């Protein structure tokens, strides 16, 4: 028999005792299916997420390190106060106009030596979210009322056999004019866990496919998890997802080199303080992922709208004509084009201050008003964080110049701004986004961001916010044939990942055959006209500046032009029908009593599907836009059958649109 020292026996007893005394709390969604289990076993807070009989996240770490205390270990869960949460709100600028949010909230109180930290959970029928709350600390020297959050232990441990659908975060100060990171890299699909992108992790949102038991209703044996964050403002940093080995991922703060090295990678907070929410959306199919509203469910407006903002379609010369198109005569032609299409606006891009000038821009604004068209103007965000030379420069990065510029815009009836080239997620940059939005609202100006971070609940937080790029958008179709060749592939990714959590300013849906003003040379569009119509519905943003050109009034099919005149940009509801990231997608959007069912196909083979469409009444007359095998589109009338089913065939790079 082996002999153990008294010290060893006491240590073993303490380990056993700590495990025996571990606190555990279970939080359940309103429908009882989503379950979160919170524990303090071993003094380290953890959580698991399951839905039905399926574990979507295994035991995952929680906690943060502040500059005066480590709240990742040595913690005891003292209590977990549970209550029901219900909220109803209207939001014109996202995928669903009226939302009823119900969830179970658990405020789990953790103690370390008398210092309290709350981990606040929300568990709804399809989403789990959590955030931290910190408090002032009393001591001999008085009260500690400010802190630096040095790191988060916040982790996400996926089940064995999980595959990933992720967008690698780029290194700082790279790419065009050293403007990265700007959330504009290519996705990797169906890859194994255990990688860390290009060494810097992944941009939110992050999609995972997890193995589940196959059933009759779900024969594929796969479930889905979408991880992201929401509620980020000037009080924190925007985060990314880092791989911490194998199937474990964790929250990562910005990279030191961002913003030319200016500013801290860690957020400074005033106590008491709450962090942004970390969100986890789960589903046995992709329906919950596509239809989630969690990004806006968890936030509140930060100020009132200064006016009743309106939304709609517009034209944009730069995508076809590039910088040289930003001149007075061409913009006047595009104003006439928007008027002919019945569109709300025209977006005038970079260099307008030099190639048109302020005085002539005032004249353009008056002309546009006479045509019933408004103007969006491009601005460079720059002060000192990258080398992007496009002007106007140094107008958006400082309060005095920004407000003077916005007063001029208000005087001349400018509808909104598109601000570009941010490149960073540090707290200082989050403050700039918030300052631009807040000042713009004072002058009744709407904001679109490009070369930028992912929006994180901003549609609801900032009433004049419209959309962000944060994706490999349409400009790449002009710049390289490879992007055109992969257009449908990328188009079949965005509805499942990027566009699930925030409005996406893509700027596509051209009816040109070539990305050039003469429509005779340049990069060649591989997708069909029906594909262009479908993505006008598929990609969600309440303001859309399409890549159509004035020549499309005479060289594009009349049925396609007429559709683009009428297609909405705001929606009441979205319904996922079928699809798989990178292969194909079929979904439906509704405005009022009018439904649009759209699909696109990137697979190498034609997609043949019989789908049930209960949104259309039996025997109703439907308008169907579809492609033949040569991607030649046409429109016809089809009668909905008694089973409310329709068989569709979508060729590679093609699309389909069905509406009542």
């Amino acid at each position: 028999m082996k002999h153990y020292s008294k010290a060893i026996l006491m240590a073993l007893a303490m380990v056993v005792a700590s495990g025996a005394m571990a606190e555990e709390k279970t939080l359940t969604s309103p429908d009882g299916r989503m379950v979160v289990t919170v524990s303090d076993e071993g003094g380290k807070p953890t959580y698991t997420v399951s839905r039905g009989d399926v574990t979507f996240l295994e035991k995952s770490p929680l906690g943060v390190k502040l500059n005066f205390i480590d709240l990742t270990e040595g913690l005891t869960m003292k209590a977990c106060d549970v209550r029901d949460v219900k909220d109803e709100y209207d939001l014109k600028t996202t995928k669903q106009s009226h939302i009823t949010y119900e969830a179970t909230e658990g405020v789990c109180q953790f103690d370390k030596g008398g210092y309290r930290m709350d981990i606040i959970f929300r568990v709804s029928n399809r989403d789990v979210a959590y955030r931290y709350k910190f408090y002032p600390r009393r001591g001999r020297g008085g009260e500690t009322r400010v802190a630096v959050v040095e790191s988060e232990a916040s982790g996400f441990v996926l089940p064995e056999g999980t595959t990933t659908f992720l967008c690698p975060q780029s290194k700082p100060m790279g790419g065009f004019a050293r403007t990265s990171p700007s959330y504009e890299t290519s996705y990797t699909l169906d890859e194994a866990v255990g990688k860390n992108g290009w060494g810097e992790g992944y941009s939110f949102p992050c999609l995972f496919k997890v193995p589940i038991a196959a059933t009759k209703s779900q024969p594929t044996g796969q479930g889905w998890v979408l991880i992201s964050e929401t509620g980020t403002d000037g009080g924190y940093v925007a985060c990314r997802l880092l791989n911490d080995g194998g199937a474990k991922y964790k929250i990562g703060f910005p990279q030191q080199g961002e913003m030319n090295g200016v500013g801290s990678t860690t957020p400074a907070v005033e106590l008491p303080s709450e962090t942004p929410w970390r969100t986890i959306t789960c589903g046995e199919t992709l329906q919950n992922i596509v239809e989630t509203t969690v990004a806006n469910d968890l936030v509140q407006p930060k100020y009132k709208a200064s006016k009743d903002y309106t939304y709609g379609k517009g034209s944009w010369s730069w995508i076809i004509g590039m910088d040289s198109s930003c001149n007075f005569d061409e913009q006047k032609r595009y104003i006439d084009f928007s008027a002919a299409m019945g569109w709300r606006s025209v977006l005038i891009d970079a260099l307008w201050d030099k190639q048109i000038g302020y005085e002539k821009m005032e004249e353009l604004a008056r002309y546009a008003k006479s045509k019933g068209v408004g103007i969006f103007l491009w601005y460079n965000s720059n002060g000192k964080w990258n080398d992007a030379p496009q002007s106007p420069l140094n107008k958006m990065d400082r309060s005095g110049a920004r407000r003077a510029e916005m007063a001029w815009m208000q005087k001349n009836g400018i509808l909104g701004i598109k601000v570009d080239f941010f490149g960073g997620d540090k707290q200082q940059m989050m403050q700039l986004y918030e300052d631009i939005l807040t000042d713009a609202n004072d002058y009744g100006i709407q904001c679109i961001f490009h070369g930028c971070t992912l929006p994180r609940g901003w549609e609801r937080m900032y009433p004049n916010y419209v959309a962000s790029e944060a994706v490999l958008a349409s400009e790449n179709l002009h710049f390289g044939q490879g992007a055109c060749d992969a257009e449908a592939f990328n188009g079949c990714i965005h509805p499942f990942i990027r566009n699930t959590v925030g409005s996406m300013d893509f700027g596509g849906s051209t009816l040109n055959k070539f990305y050039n003003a003469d429509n005779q040379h340049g990069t060649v569009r591989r997708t069909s006209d029906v594909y262009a119509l479908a993505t006008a519905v598929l990609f969600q943003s309440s303001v859309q500046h399409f890549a159509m050109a004035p020549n499309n009034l005479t060289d594009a099919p009349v049925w396609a032009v007429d559709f683009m005149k009428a297609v909405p940009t705001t929606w009441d509801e979205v319904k996922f029908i079928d699809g798989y990231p990178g292969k194909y997608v079929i979904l439906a959007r509704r405005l009022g009593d009018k439904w649009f069912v759209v699909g696109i196909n990137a697979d190498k083979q034609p997609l043949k599907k019989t789908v049930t469409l209960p949104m259309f009444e039996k025997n109703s007359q439907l308008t169907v836009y579809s492609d033949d095998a040569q991607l030649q589109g046409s429109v016809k009338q089809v009668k909905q059958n008694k089973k409310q089913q329709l068989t569709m065939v979508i060729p590679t790079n093609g699309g389909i649109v069905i509406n009542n």
Side-chain angles (χ1 to χ4, degrees):
M1 180 178 179
K2 294 183 178 179
H3 298 279
Y4 297 96
S5 70
K6 185 177 180 180
I8 293 174
L9 289 171
M10 288 181 64
L12 288 169
M14 289 177 66
V15 171
V16 172
S18 68
M21 293 188 294
E23 287 291 328
E24 190 172 277
K25 181 66 179 180
T26 298
L27 304 169
T28 306
S29 61
D31 68 359
R33 296 203 65 214
M34 195 83 83
V35 178
V36 174
T37 303
V38 188
S39 173
D40 67 355
E41 184 178 358
K44 296 183 177 182
T46 62
Y47 72 109
T48 62
V49 177
S50 60
R51 180 178 167 85
D53 297 328
V54 179
T55 297
F56 281 84
L57 285 184
E58 298 181 350
K59 185 178 287 187
S60 301
L62 296 163
V64 299
K65 287 185 179 180
L66 303 181
N67 59 338
F68 61 80
I69 190 169
D70 182 350
L71 297 171
T72 65
E73 58 185 13
L75 293 158
T76 303
M77 185 162 52
K78 293 293 187 181
C80 195
D81 299 327
V82 179
R83 70 183 183 103
D84 294 332
V85 173
K86 186 172 182 178
D87 187 19
E88 286 193 49
Y89 62 96
D90 294 316
L91 197 59
K92 296 178 182 178
T93 54
T94 188
K95 65 180 77 170
Q96 188 169 327
S97 64
H98 180 78
I99 295 98
T100 300
Y101 173 68
E102 296 183 65
T104 301
E105 181 179 271
V107 181
C108 298
Q109 301 169 16
F110 287 84
D111 178 85
K112 183 174 184 176
Y115 182 82
R116 172 180 169 181
M117 173 184 69
D118 293 342
I119 306 180
I120 305 166
F121 282 89
R122 290 274 186 91
V123 187
S124 72
N125 292 345
R126 61 189 173 200
D127 308 293
V128 171
Y130 66 87
R131 66 178 174 182
Y132 304 99
K133 185 173 183 178
F134 318 120
Y135 295 88
R137 183 177 70 165
R138 296 186 181 277
R140 292 182 179 180
E143 190 172 55
T144 302
R145 298 193 59 83
V146 295
V148 172
V149 183
E150 294 183 341
S151 63
E152 292 190 24
S154 310
F156 313 86
V157 180
L158 283 303
E160 184 179 354
T162 294
T163 59
T164 68
F165 299 73
L166 302 174
C167 182
Q169 181 88 287
S170 55
K171 293 183 182 297
M173 302 300 289
F176 171 75
R178 299 196 298 164
T179 56
S180 66
S182 53
Y183 291 60
E184 296 180 39
T185 60
S186 298
Y187 286 85
T188 59
L189 304 186
D190 255 329
E191 286 201 345
V193 297
K195 300 179 182 179
N196 197 36
W198 300 340
E200 305 299 340
Y202 300 97
S203 302
F204 284 127
C206 299
L207 182 65
F208 300 87
K209 184 176 70 176
V210 302
I212 65 176
T215 64
K216 186 176 181 180
S217 61
Q218 179 57 19
T220 59
Q222 60 193 28
W224 299 89
V225 178
L226 184 78
I227 297 173
S228 193
E229 64 178 0
T230 193
T232 306
D233 59 15
Y236 212 73
V237 295
C239 296
R240 55 195 161 125
L241 202 62
L242 303 176
N243 183 261
D244 203 27
K248 181 182 177 183
Y249 294 80
K250 67 178 182 181
I251 290 292
F253 285 171
Q255 305 166 67
Q256 179 56 51
E258 293 176 14
M259 294 181 65
N260 202 20
V262 174
S264 174
T265 63
T266 54
V269 298
E270 181 182 358
L271 304 177
S273 178
E274 294 174 328
T275 68
W277 295 92
R278 284 68 187 87
T279 65
I280 305 123
T281 303
C282 304
E284 293 80 7
T285 71
L286 284 158
Q287 180 179 358
N288 283 357
I289 308 300
V290 172
E291 297 179 13
T292 183
T293 55
V294 68
N296 292 298
D297 293 339
L298 299 165
V299 301
Q300 294 292 329
K302 295 178 73 69
Y303 50 75
K304 291 184 178 180
S306 63
K307 60 188 274 188
D308 184 14
Y309 291 108
T310 58
Y311 311 94
K313 302 176 286 293
S315 62
W316 176 40
S317 70
W318 185 90
I319 182 60
I320 298 297
M322 297 279 104
D323 290 346
S324 63
S325 72
C326 294
N327 62 72
F328 183 89
D329 290 338
E330 187 68 351
Q331 294 312 307
K332 191 172 182 181
R333 192 165 77 99
Y334 267 79
I335 289 168
D336 290 340
F337 175 50
S338 283
M341 294 293 291
W343 289 352
R344 170 178 176 257
S345 64
V346 60
L347 168 62
I348 304 179
D349 220 281
L351 303 174
W352 61 264
D353 60 323
K354 295 180 178 179
Q355 296 175 184
I356 298 174
Y358 280 79
E359 186 176 339
K360 295 293 284 184
M361 184 57 71
E362 293 175 7
E363 182 181 338
L364 265 183
R366 291 191 295 271
Y367 180 76
K369 184 178 180 181
S370 73
K371 295 286 186 174
V373 175
I375 290 176
F376 276 72
L377 289 177
W378 187 96
Y379 282 85
N380 195 326
S381 78
N382 243 343
K384 50 191 174 293
W385 33 82
N386 56 54
D387 302 322
Q390 288 86 348
S391 60
L393 279 159
N394 300 313
K395 299 290 188 180
M396 290 294 135
D397 62 313
R398 58 201 72 176
S399 178
R402 182 170 59 239
R403 293 184 67 85
E405 195 78 359
M406 289 175 175
W408 172 82
M409 290 185 229
Q410 184 183 50
K411 179 182 177 181
N412 288 281
I414 303 301
L415 287 179
I417 53 176
K418 170 185 169 182
V419 188
D420 208 339
F421 300 135
F422 288 88
D425 283 334
K426 293 178 179 177
Q427 188 173 18
Q428 185 175 331
M429 191 64 86
M430 296 302 108
Q431 290 168 350
L432 178 63
Y433 284 113
E434 189 163 49
D435 289 346
I436 291 172
L437 285 158
T438 304
D439 284 349
N441 183 64
D442 288 346
Y443 294 96
I445 294 167
Q446 294 176 308
C447 296
I448 298 170
F449 297 127
H450 268 235
C452 59
T453 194
L454 180 79
R456 293 160 164 89
W458 293 358
E459 291 93 343
R460 193 176 184 197
M461 292 165 66
Y462 306 107
N464 57 320
Y465 169 78
V466 174
S468 296
E469 185 183 27
V471 72
L472 271 173
S474 62
E475 63 200 51
N476 297 282
L477 300 170
H478 188 118
F479 293 150
Q481 188 58 47
C484 289
D485 296 343
E487 182 182 4
F489 169 76
N490 288 313
C492 290
I493 296 173
H494 306 322
F496 300 112
I497 308 179
R498 165 63 182 89
N499 217 181
T500 61
V501 298
S503 299
M504 182 178 76
D505 193 58
F506 189 85
S509 295
T510 187
L511 293 177
N512 264 26
K513 299 300 182 184
F514 297 85
Y515 280 89
N516 191 279
D518 65 10
N519 203 12
Q520 297 294 321
H521 69 281
T523 54
V524 182
R525 179 165 59 98
R526 301 299 190 194
T527 55
S528 71
D529 290 340
V530 180
Y531 175 97
L533 309 191
T535 54
V537 176
L538 203 61
F539 299 160
Q540 183 269 314
S541 176
S542 58
V543 173
Q544 296 252 30
H545 289 110
F546 294 122
M548 288 178 62
N551 51 274
N552 295 151
L553 290 171
T554 56
D555 64 12
V558 173
W559 51 264
V561 173
D562 287 347
F563 179 91
M564 294 301 294
K565 287 179 178 179
V567 63
T569 63
T570 57
W571 304 100
D572 292 325
E573 187 178 0
V574 61
K575 288 292 183 186
F576 171 70
I577 297 174
D578 200 0
Y580 192 91
K583 294 184 179 179
Y584 70 99
V585 57
I586 306 169
L587 63 74
R589 296 193 193 275
R590 176 181 64 85
L591 178 63
D593 59 2
K594 193 172 184 67
W595 281 94
F596 292 76
V597 175
V598 299
I600 59 174
N601 178 31
D603 213 353
K604 293 180 179 179
Q605 301 298 323
L607 175 72
K608 185 175 182 178
K609 285 279 181 179
T610 298
V611 294
T612 301
L613 303 175
M615 66 283 296
F616 300 130
E617 294 182 5
K618 298 176 182 178
N619 299 317
S620 60
Q621 199 76 8
L622 305 177
T623 302
V624 178
Y625 303 80
S626 60
D627 289 313
D628 63 19
Q630 287 72 45
L631 296 183
Q632 295 301 308
S634 62
V635 58
K636 59 184 177 181
Q637 300 299 309
V638 174
K639 191 175 183 181
Q640 170 83 314
N641 66 27
K642 293 181 180 179
K643 293 183 178 181
Q644 295 176 292
Q645 292 181 329
L646 188 143
T647 298
M648 58 179 67
V649 178
I650 309 176
T652 306
N653 291 326
I656 193 167
V657 177
I658 308 162
N659 64 268
N660 55 344

